[in-house]
């Protein structure tokens, strides 16, 4: 059904972004594709090393005007594979930086501390992805505040003083155990964001409330995937 609906969707443009667009990909890197549609549908499909995003043009344009970080990534690094009506150029003209990306940093910090405290019950692959997302989001948001956004992991690694975090970025496809991932993330948060440490006695419910109140979509999706993995196992 998903394949059929995608096939008949009005695709206006197809963009390549990420490591392949930057030409710094390595073995294990994903192929990141964005398809712009003229309908009101958003979708993300991940199969193997293919990560496919489908976004409505209207949402992308609004996100560009509001300085969204994902759209910032597209504006600065995407390459058009099929774009007869120059949607990428329109997106680039529409983009405006936000005065501050503190909300993005806070969301990454909130999820990061949840992973440090309670990430032992996530599977290794999901934990690795989310730990890396937290580190990258903080560093990307800071670079965007300087109006010089950086997305390449090798370059982002130079933006932090924390060696374990640098290793996560430069050797992101290297398998690590959960304890090592959580320790690296904890050192990063304590060094880069020392004022964000959660209160003593913080529990899962406190974090869940925070995720909902701040519309932390990545955190809520992480919890959903965690519960789904348990259900599949049982």
């Amino acid at each position: 059904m998903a394949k059929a609906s995608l096939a008949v969707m009005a695709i206006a443009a197809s963009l390549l972004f990420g490591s392949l667009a930057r030409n710094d990909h390595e073995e294990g890197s994903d192929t990141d594709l964005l398809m712009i549609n003229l309908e009101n549908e958003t979708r993300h499909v991940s199969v193997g090393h293919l990560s496919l995003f489908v976004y409505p043009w209207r949402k992308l344009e609004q996100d560009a005007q509001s300085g969204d970080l994902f759209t910032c990534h597209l504006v600065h690094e995407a390459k058009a594979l099929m774009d007869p009506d120059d949607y990428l150029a329109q997106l680039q003209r529409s983009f405006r930086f936000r005065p501050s990306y503190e909300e993005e940093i806070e969301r990454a910090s909130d999820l990061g501390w949840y992973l440090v405290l309670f990430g032992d019950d996530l599977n290794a692959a999901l934990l690795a992805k989310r730990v890396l997302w937290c580190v990258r989001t903080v560093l990307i948001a800071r670079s965007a505040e300087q109006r010089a956004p950086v997305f390449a992991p090798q370059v982002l690694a130079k933006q932090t003083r924390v060696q374990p975090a640098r290793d996560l970025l430069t050797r992101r496809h290297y398998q690590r155990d959960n304890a090592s991932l959580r320790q690296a993330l904890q050192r990063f948060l304590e060094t880069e964001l020392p004022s964000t440490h959660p209160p003593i006695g913080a529990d899962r419910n406190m974090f869940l409330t925070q995720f909902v109140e701040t519309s932390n979509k990545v955190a809520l999706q992480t919890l959903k995937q965690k519960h789904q993995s348990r259900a599949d196992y049982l």
Side-chain angles (χ1 to χ4, degrees):
M1 181 68 69
K3 290 183 178 178
S5 61
L6 187 60
V8 299
M9 189 181 298
I11 300 299
S14 179
L15 310 178
L16 176 70
F17 66 100
S19 59
L20 275 175
R22 290 191 302 267
N23 200 29
D24 64 1
H25 58 285
E26 55 189 47
E27 185 177 354
S29 294
D30 286 346
T31 297
D32 298 304
L33 294 175
L34 178 93
M35 292 188 175
I36 299 175
N37 74 78
L38 302 181
E39 302 169 19
N40 190 28
E41 181 171 356
T42 303
R43 190 184 306 176
H44 177 216
V45 179
S46 183
V47 180
H49 290 299
L50 173 64
S51 192
L52 175 64
F53 298 81
V54 179
Y55 268 73
W57 167 247
R58 183 174 299 177
K59 174 172 172 54
L60 280 174
E61 187 176 38
Q62 291 172 347
D63 286 350
Q65 293 166 350
S66 68
D68 172 74
L69 280 183
F70 177 68
T71 312
C72 182
H73 191 172
L74 298 173
V75 163
H76 285 85
E77 294 194 344
K79 297 183 183 300
L81 300 179
M82 186 277 291
D83 188 14
D85 296 315
D86 292 327
Y87 280 99
L88 179 56
Q90 294 180 56
L91 198 66
Q92 292 167 337
R93 289 194 295 269
S94 298
F95 186 81
R96 298 291 183 273
F97 283 105
R98 293 177 184 172
S100 168
Y101 285 89
E102 190 60 33
E103 288 186 2
E104 286 76 8
I105 293 173
E106 288 178 359
R107 290 190 187 104
S109 172
D110 288 343
L111 176 55
W113 279 114
Y114 175 87
L115 297 176
V116 168
L117 296 174
F118 306 113
D120 55 336
D121 54 358
L122 269 67
N123 69 65
L126 179 58
L127 179 63
K129 285 184 177 180
R130 293 302 183 253
V131 166
L132 190 58
W133 179 85
C134 291
V135 172
R136 291 185 77 245
T137 298
V138 170
L139 297 176
I140 291 170
R142 284 181 171 175
S143 70
E145 287 185 332
Q146 299 299 316
R147 305 300 184 260
V150 173
F151 302 95
Q154 298 287 345
V155 183
L156 281 173
K158 299 176 182 179
Q159 311 299 313
T160 178
R161 299 167 288 168
V162 182
Q163 188 58 47
R166 289 182 176 182
D167 292 339
L168 288 176
L169 290 161
T170 58
R171 304 174 64 198
R172 60 193 184 281
H173 301 302
Y174 178 78
Q175 290 188 344
R176 299 171 175 83
D177 60 68
N178 283 15
S180 297
L181 287 165
R182 292 164 64 208
Q183 288 170 5
L185 180 58
Q186 182 173 357
R187 281 194 56 187
F188 175 80
L189 294 171
E190 288 176 341
T191 303
E192 300 290 350
L193 302 168
S195 64
T196 64
H197 199 293
I200 296 175
D203 59 14
R204 286 177 170 84
N205 287 333
M206 187 210 80
F207 278 100
L208 177 58
T209 299
Q210 180 73 0
F211 295 158
V212 172
E213 290 180 348
T214 58
S215 300
N216 196 328
K217 295 179 181 179
V218 174
L220 293 171
Q221 181 65 24
T222 301
L223 297 182
K224 181 179 178 181
Q225 289 179 273
K226 181 188 76 170
H227 294 312
Q228 184 60 51
S229 295
R230 284 183 174 179
D232 292 343
Y233 176 79
L234 296 173

